[in-house]
């Protein structure tokens, strides 16, 4: 059996007009995590929302590096965080 993989999701909504600044802040903090994740991705959505997903070797309850809270002036609400344990990749159906 392979070691577990856990995905950490960090999502915040930027203060009005500060979406680009929040995205760059999140990019810099993800690059400065104390250890390197298996994978990391930065995403954005309407309403200046920024999402960072990092994948880690480790179980759901393990202590894993997390992005910090940004300066309150940069966001409209507290950061939302979720953890998901990987159940494996989904393979597309074979083409005929």
């Amino acid at each position: 059996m392979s070691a577990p993989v856990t995905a950490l999701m960090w999502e915040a909504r930027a203060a009005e007009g500060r979406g680009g600044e929040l995205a760059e802040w999140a990019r810099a903090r993800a690059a400065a995590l104390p250890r390197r994740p298996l994978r990391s991705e930065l995403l954005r959505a309407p309403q200046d929302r920024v999402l960072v997903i990092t994948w880690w070797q480790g179980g759901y309850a393990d202590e894993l590096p997390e992005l910090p809270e940004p300066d309150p002036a940069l966001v409209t609400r507290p950061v939302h965080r979720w953890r998901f344990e990987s159940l494996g990749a989904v393979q597309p159906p074979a083409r005929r």
Side-chain angles (χ1 to χ4, degrees):
M1 183 174 187
S2 63
V5 172
T6 299
L8 303 184
M9 297 176 66
W10 177 102
E11 187 264 342
R13 185 172 175 196
E16 183 71 32
R18 297 185 75 181
E21 185 180 349
L22 178 61
E24 287 310 309
W25 181 94
R27 181 187 308 278
R29 293 317 176 281
L33 287 168
R35 64 183 215 252
R36 188 178 205 154
L38 297 171
R39 180 177 170 206
S40 179
E41 193 163 345
L42 175 68
L43 302 103
R44 68 177 177 185
Q47 300 177 326
D48 285 331
R49 289 178 293 152
V50 174
L51 174 66
V52 177
I53 308 173
T54 53
W55 286 262
W56 301 92
Q57 197 79 54
Y60 187 88
D62 289 350
E63 189 166 320
L64 301 169
E66 299 246 11
L67 269 69
E69 292 284 329
D71 183 300
L74 187 56
V75 294
T76 61
R77 58 167 167 73
V79 169
H80 292 172
R81 299 170 191 271
W82 301 273
R83 283 184 177 223
F84 291 89
E85 193 170 43
S86 176
L87 300 177
V90 176
Q91 300 300 321
R95 294 188 181 244
R96 294 183 179 199

